[in-house]
């Protein structure tokens, strides 16, 4: 049984660190990118099993990244957005871009992990 690889895309170092620790503790292999541009590089070389992404990032934001994934990689690759944006407008934009789940900060780690697990099963 291969270890599932989860790509974390966030411009915040503290968010990347906390998610990396959470995923490692849960037995996943975290991959990290600071923004959508770095995420595209990782996607080309590492083939993650799931993507966790912020929306607000420099160079290429989360919605642009999701559009890229959906048009270039896979309809099937699960993408979870983790964001501080709570408005219906942002949620709708993310859903329209093709995300699988919209999670707002602060989030419960247990809930996030169970959502990740259900997408990977």
């Amino acid at each position: 049984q291969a270890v599932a690889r989860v790509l974390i895309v966030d411009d915040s170092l503290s968010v990347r660190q906390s998610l990396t620790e959470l995923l490692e503790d849960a037995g996943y292999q975290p991959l990290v990118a600071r923004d959508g541009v770095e995420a595209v590089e990782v996607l080309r070389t590492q083939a993650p099993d799931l993507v966790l992404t912020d929306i607000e990032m420099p160079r290429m934001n989360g919605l642009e990244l999701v559009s890229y994934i959906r048009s270039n990689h896979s309809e099937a690759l699960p993408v979870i957005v983790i964001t501080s944006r709570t408005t219906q407008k942002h949620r709708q934009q993310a859903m329209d871009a093709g995300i699988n789940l919209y999670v707002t900060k602060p989030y419960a780690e247990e809930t996030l992990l169970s959502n990740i697990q259900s997408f990977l099963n």
Side-chain angles (χ1 to χ4, degrees):
Q1 169 77 10
V3 176
R5 290 185 292 209
V6 179
L7 173 57
I8 300 162
V9 190
D10 201 302
D11 56 330
S12 158
L13 176 61
S14 60
V15 170
R16 289 197 310 273
Q17 286 174 331
S18 64
L19 283 170
T20 294
E21 195 173 299
L22 177 68
L23 291 166
E24 281 176 344
D25 290 349
Y28 298 112
Q29 180 189 341
L31 308 168
V32 292
R34 286 174 295 197
D35 59 33
V37 175
E38 278 188 13
V40 167
E41 288 304 309
V42 174
L43 285 160
R44 287 191 179 129
T45 57
Q46 306 270 326
D49 300 294
L50 184 139
V51 177
L52 296 174
T53 184
D54 189 14
I55 291 181
E56 312 274 311
M57 295 180 292
R59 298 202 296 171
M60 179 194 263
N61 70 33
L63 298 180
E64 292 165 336
L65 173 62
V66 174
S67 298
Y68 169 83
I69 289 171
R70 291 297 176 243
S71 54
N72 294 278
H73 280 269
S74 168
E75 290 295 318
L77 179 63
V79 179
I80 299 176
V81 162
I82 302 179
T83 179
S84 50
R85 299 286 174 172
T86 57
T87 67
Q88 188 56 43
K89 183 188 93 171
H90 283 100
R91 189 178 293 265
Q92 192 57 54
Q93 285 174 335
M95 292 313 230
D96 291 345
I99 67 153
N100 298 84
L101 185 66
Y102 193 91
V103 176
T104 52
K105 298 172 187 169
Y107 54 87
E109 293 188 339
E110 296 74 26
T111 308
L112 180 62
L113 283 174
S114 67
N115 283 319
I116 289 170
Q117 189 61 55
S118 64
F119 282 119
L120 292 173
N121 283 345

